[in-house]
Amino acid sequence: MLLVSLLVLLYFWWNDLCNAKAAAIPQTWNVLKQCMESRFVPPYYQRDLHLKLQSLKQGDKGVEEYYQELLIGLARCSIHEEDDATATRFFGGLNRDIQDILDYKDWNRFFPIVSSFS
């Protein structure tokens, strides 16, 4: 039922957009995404995603699950950073006992960290 309601809402939005003027009709996928985002995504959504990513901790998740959640959060926030910055972010959210183990390991690359706990 929710999907049907969403489709009806999109249908009416699209008709209104097309009836406004022909120049307002999006001609590319990126423009359409921007139009839909500005209409349907609340302004606080990005802020909430960034806050969630900033406070992300491993907790009771496994290392691989925590790593996947971190990557998903970075993608949703459209954050593209160097491996060193991602490794630092990853390390900071790990449980303290795993951080202590990594303190004694010599790791220069980020990905061997994850594989050593999988």
Side-chain angles (χ1 to χ4, degrees):
M1 187 65 186
L2 180 63
L3 181 59
V4 173
S5 299
L6 179 61
L7 290 174
V8 169
L9 180 64
L10 285 171
Y11 175 77
F12 284 118
W13 172 76
W14 181 254
N15 278 337
D16 288 346
L17 188 66
C18 291
N19 290 335
K21 56 182 170 174
I25 299 172
Q27 299 298 315
T28 65
W29 176 249
N30 287 334
V31 174
L32 177 62
K33 278 185 2 182
Q34 289 173 349
C35 288
M36 291 180 72
E37 203 170 273
S38 67
R39 172 64 178 95
F40 296 106
V41 178
Y44 58 82
Y45 180 73
Q46 280 295 322
R47 183 188 69 231
D48 289 351
L49 285 178
H50 282 271
L51 286 172
K52 182 179 178 184
L53 180 62
Q54 189 175 12
S55 63
L56 182 63
K57 302 288 182 206
Q58 180 186 1
D60 59 352
K61 296 183 282 283
V63 174
E64 183 66 31
E65 185 181 353
Y66 163 63
Y67 175 65
Q68 291 301 319
E69 194 172 334
L70 175 67
L71 293 181
I72 290 169
L74 289 170
R76 285 184 179 159
C77 291
S78 300
I79 295 176
H80 307 284
E81 56 190 13
E82 298 293 323
D83 280 348
D84 290 343
T86 304
T88 303
R89 185 187 299 265
F90 175 76
F91 183 82
L94 286 171
N95 292 338
R96 188 70 210 155
D97 56 337
I98 296 177
Q99 286 181 4
D100 291 342
I101 293 169
L102 288 177
D103 281 339
Y104 294 106
K105 289 191 172 215
D106 181 30
W107 49 277
N108 297 329
R109 303 283 302 152
F110 177 54
F111 300 106
I113 298 171
V114 177
S115 63
S116 66
F117 288 98
S118 298

